[in-house]
Structure formats: C-alpha cells, structure tokens
Amino acid sequence: GENVEQHPSTLSVQEGDSAVIKCTYSDSASNYFPWYKQELGKGSQLIIDIRSNVGEKKDQRIAVTLNKTAKHFSLHITETQPEDSAVYFCAASKGKTSYDKVIFGPGTSLSVIP
Amino acid sequence: DAEITQSPRHKITETGRQVTLACHQTWNHNNMFWYRQDLGHGLRLIHYSYGVQDTNKGEVSDGYSVSRSNTEDLPLTLESAASSQTSVYFCASSEGGVGQYFGPGTRLTVL
C-alpha cells in the first residue's frame, strides 16, 4: 500500500525565516497531495493542496512543489510568523472516484521563534 | 456556518468496556472518515464511508466498527476497549475533489 514519509519531524526557525518540509510517497498512482496544519487542541485544517498535473502551487506565504518523477513534494512557508507554529501533515491520495482516501505522513512539528 | 463536531472531547474508560465516539457534520458531505493519531504515526485511517449504508475498513480497523444510518453522522464504536486504543481520534468529512474537513478530536484513554 501507499507509504508517505515526512522530514524533518521537528523544525525550529526564527521569525521571518523560511521553513521547508519534505515528503516522499511510494505509490506512483497517487494523484492528489494535500497539506494540513494542526494546532494544539484542534483538528487538522487543509492549508494547500496540489494535483499531479501541476508542478507548483502558491497561496500567499505558502507554496507546494511536486516532483512526480522523484515522488516527492514539499511545503514552503516564507516569512514565518509565530502563528505558523503547529504540526504539519502531508498526505497522498489515489482515490478511485474521488481524492478522499488519503494516507498521511507522520507530521512535522514547526516552531517559529519570535 | 457548516461544521463538523465530535463528542465527547475527552473520555476515560476501562478495558473491556464498549465506547462510542460521535461525529456529526452539517456540510451534507457524502464522505466521512475516522482516524486515530499516535505519536510517530501521523493520522491512520480506521474506517470510512462514502454514503449512507456504506462503510469500509481502513488500515487499522481491528477492534472498531462504524455505522452510517444518515448523511450527518458516523459514530465510531470500540466493542471492547483495549489499552492499545488509547489515542486521539479525529473524524473528517469531504466531498469529492477537495480536501477533508476535520473535527476537533476526541482524546480517549483506556485504563
């Protein structure tokens, strides 16, 4: 079955610096890659996603890149702020009729130091 | 506003007891999911449903069951709680083609 690896498991950056989280997936049939942010005591929130027909997607300070050949994708957060501190999960999906059944990575705990 | 809720938010129970965790969404989504989250494992899929009367096993379904009698609810039942089922449980819903909306989670402790 699909396996998603995620690195690093923890990441500390100074406020204003960039943060990069990398994920790899095993199943070349995966075609949808969402990223979720989980804040303490809250459920996960979708922050950005990318489909296999796109190489890069950007939304304000957040961007995601996808390399289908290497089967890896990355989350980039620029100009980090303390409120970016959270656990981030990458995921991969190859749903038959939808993109809903996803396999999650183990998560990255990001700390932004003021 | 549409939302997804879980109850209870915290539960302590004893080994062998039956426990049911509730999940309710008001988006009218067809797809609903239950995950457990453990340190080092991320979110692992327990059961999922693509519509009323439809249920499917995920990767860690042993010891759990779900039923889908209406669109809004997908209760998760632990038939005989075990200490290995101590975890944080998240419910999610979605409609095809977009990411999932997650509930706030239920922290379950089995003593």
Side-chain angles (χ1 to χ4, degrees), chain A residues 1-77:
Chain A
E2 172 73 280
N3 182 50
V4 177
E5 296 184 353
Q6 184 172 348
H7 301 280
S9 57
T10 59
L11 178 61
S12 292
V13 299
Q14 292 289 333
E15 182 176 358
D17 288 349
S18 295
V20 180
I21 302 171
K22 299 181 179 181
C23 290
T24 60
Y25 59 99
S26 60
D27 193 334
S28 57
S30 293
N31 51 23
Y32 176 63
F33 307 92
W35 284 89
Y36 292 85
K37 175 183 180 182
Q38 186 181 77
E39 295 174 272
L40 191 64
K42 299 182 182 179
S44 299
Q45 177 186 13
L46 177 70
I47 55 172
I48 195 168
D49 57 12
I50 192 167
R51 303 191 190 282
S52 59
N53 59 345
V54 176
E56 182 174 359
K57 184 176 179 180
K58 188 173 182 179
D59 182 4
Q60 299 182 350
R61 297 186 297 108
I62 296 174
V64 57
T65 58
L66 172 65
N67 184 326
K68 288 176 58 180
T69 302
K71 291 190 286 187
H72 67 68
F73 55 112
S74 300
L75 178 72
H76 305 253
I77 306 174

